[in-house]
Amino acid sequence: MAPFLVPPEDARHRLFHGRGKTLPGWEGLTLDRFPPVLMATLFDDYPAPRLDALQARLIQALPALGCDTLVVQHRHRRPAETRVVHGTLPAAPWAEEDGLRYRLDFERGQNLGFFADMAPGRAWLRERAAGKRVLNLFSFTCAFSVAALAGGAGRVVNIDLSRPALALGQVNQQANGFGDADVHYLPHNVFRSWKKLHSLGRYDLIVVDPPSAQKGSFQVERDYAKVLRRLPKLLAPEAELLICLNAPWLGADWLKTLVADNLPGATLEGRLPGAPGFDEAAEPALKALAYGYRRGDGS
C-alpha cells in the first residue's frame, strides 16, 4: 500500500482502486480520501489478521494524508456495514471537486452519495451547460445538477425514485450558492413520468446514468433501450447527451450498439476518460459516452 498512501498531487479522491485488478491480492479493496476522512471499502472478506494489519497501516498513514478518521465499509456483507475504526466523523462531511462541494452520508448504506469516478462526466457537463436546459435522469444526489449549475445552466430537472437522495441534492444546491436557480426535483419512476418531463420543456443536454440494477425499477439489459427510445420526444432539435453505464459485464460496444439501434439522430463524439486514481487492467467498468444529437424528419 505504501505507494498509494501519499497525498495526491491532483486532488483525486481515489487513492487505490483494487477493483481495477492492477495489484494481485487486493482486488477487493478501494481507498478514498475525503479529508479529514480516509475510507477503505472491502468487497472481499479478508482474514482477520490481514484486515487488522491493513487497518493499522491505514491509521499510521492518516496524518500524512491530511486525515484523522478512518472509516471501513464491509461491502461484502448484506447489508453493507460501515464502521468508524479510528477518529470521529465530522458533523457535516463533504467531498470537494473543482471548487464545488458535495455532501457525504456515511450512514446511507453502501453509497456515500457521491461517485468519484464520474468526475470527467461532471466536468464535461459543466463545460457546455451555459444557458442550457438540462435533464438529469436517475439523478441520485444530483451531483450532475450542481456541475450544470456551476456551468451556468438555465434550468435543471432531476428525477430519481429516492426522495432522500433528492433531498441531499437540494442540500448540495444550497451549499454551492445556487439556491435561486431554476431546478426541479422529481421523486418519481422515470418510466411513469415522461409527460411530466416533457411538460418542463425540450432539453439541450441530457445525462442518462442509470443503476445497473435497481429492484423493482430498472434492469439495465431489460430497460435501457426503453429509455433511449423515449429521448427524441424530450430532446431539442440539436442537443447533446452523456450516455453512461456502470456494469462490468457489459462492454462499451454493447452500449454503442444499444444507442445506434434505439436513438436515431445520435452521433458518437467520444468516450470520456477515466477519473484519476481509477486505474484498470482491462476495460473500465464505467462507460461514459458523449453524443451529439440532431433531430430528423418525423421525430
Side-chain angles (χ1 to χ4, degrees):
M1 292 295 102
F4 305 97
L5 298 178
V6 294
E9 297 179 357
D10 54 9
R12 68 183 63 185
H13 294 294
R14 180 61 51 96
L15 298 181
F16 175 68
H17 186 59
R19 302 278 282 174
K21 299 181 180 179
T22 58
L23 186 62
W26 288 106
E27 293 87 348
L29 171 69
T30 61
L31 298 176
D32 293 291
R33 177 177 175 262
F34 304 105
V37 178
L38 178 66
M39 181 166 186
T41 303
L42 300 171
F43 295 85
D44 294 336
D45 190 7
Y46 290 106
R50 194 177 192 193
L51 180 57
D52 290 343
L54 173 65
Q55 291 182 172
R57 180 66 183 90
L58 296 180
I59 291 171
Q60 181 186 34
L62 289 175
L65 293 171
C67 298
D68 57 26
T69 299
L70 174 63
V71 174
V72 176
Q73 182 181 94
H74 293 267
R75 185 76 67 91
H76 56 91
R77 296 177 183 172
R78 295 292 182 272
E81 182 179 308
T82 304
R83 296 179 179 178
V84 178
V85 299
H86 183 85
T88 304
L89 282 173
W94 299 90
E96 297 188 6
E97 177 186 275
D98 293 336
L100 301 173
R101 309 173 74 209
Y102 301 90
R103 183 66 179 271
L104 301 175
D105 186 350
F106 288 93
E107 299 178 1
R108 172 176 298 276
Q110 68 179 28
N111 294 317
L112 302 183
F114 176 78
F115 294 106
D117 57 353
M118 195 51 85
R122 289 185 286 270
W124 179 92
L125 183 60
R126 185 174 181 175
E127 289 170 0
R128 49 192 31 85
K132 302 294 180 63
R133 295 159 296 178
V134 178
L135 174 59
N136 186 13
L137 294 172
F138 307 99
S139 60
F140 194 46
T141 58
C142 311
F144 275 117
S145 177
V146 172
L149 293 173
R155 165 178 286 185
V156 181
V157 176
N158 300 289
I159 183 167
D160 195 276
L161 267 177
S162 172
R163 287 181 181 272
L166 291 175
L168 205 58
Q170 291 175 295
V171 169
N172 289 334
Q173 179 187 346
Q174 296 287 337
N176 286 283
F178 304 125
D180 296 329
D182 185 1
V183 183
H184 298 257
Y185 297 91
L186 307 179
H188 305 311
N189 186 321
V190 168
F191 293 104
R192 300 173 184 172
S193 305
W194 301 117
K195 289 184 179 180
K196 176 64 174 178
L197 293 174
H198 189 273
S199 72
L200 292 169
R202 295 269 186 164
Y203 302 93
D204 308 296
L205 283 164
I206 294 183
V207 176
V208 189
D209 186 18
S212 58
Q214 190 173 57
K215 188 175 180 180
S217 173
F218 189 90
Q219 296 292 328
V220 61
E221 291 156 297
R222 180 191 68 199
D223 296 322
Y224 210 140
K226 300 175 187 177
V227 174
L228 295 174
R229 288 195 291 268
R230 287 282 190 169
L231 296 185
K233 297 295 184 182
L234 300 175
L235 286 159
E238 293 187 16
E240 294 180 277
L241 305 100
L242 188 63
I243 307 293
C244 307
L245 172 67
N246 195 344
W249 63 94
L250 296 172
D253 288 342
W254 181 88
L255 185 57
K256 292 175 184 177
T257 300
L258 197 73
V259 175
D261 291 345
N262 294 280
L263 185 54
T267 301
L268 180 64
E269 296 182 342
R271 179 173 179 172
L272 272 57
F278 287 83
D279 301 320
E280 299 273 0
E283 182 179 55
L286 176 62
K287 279 70 70 173
L289 306 180
Y291 282 85
Y293 173 82
R294 183 181 293 272
R295 186 184 304 166
D297 293 339
S299 296

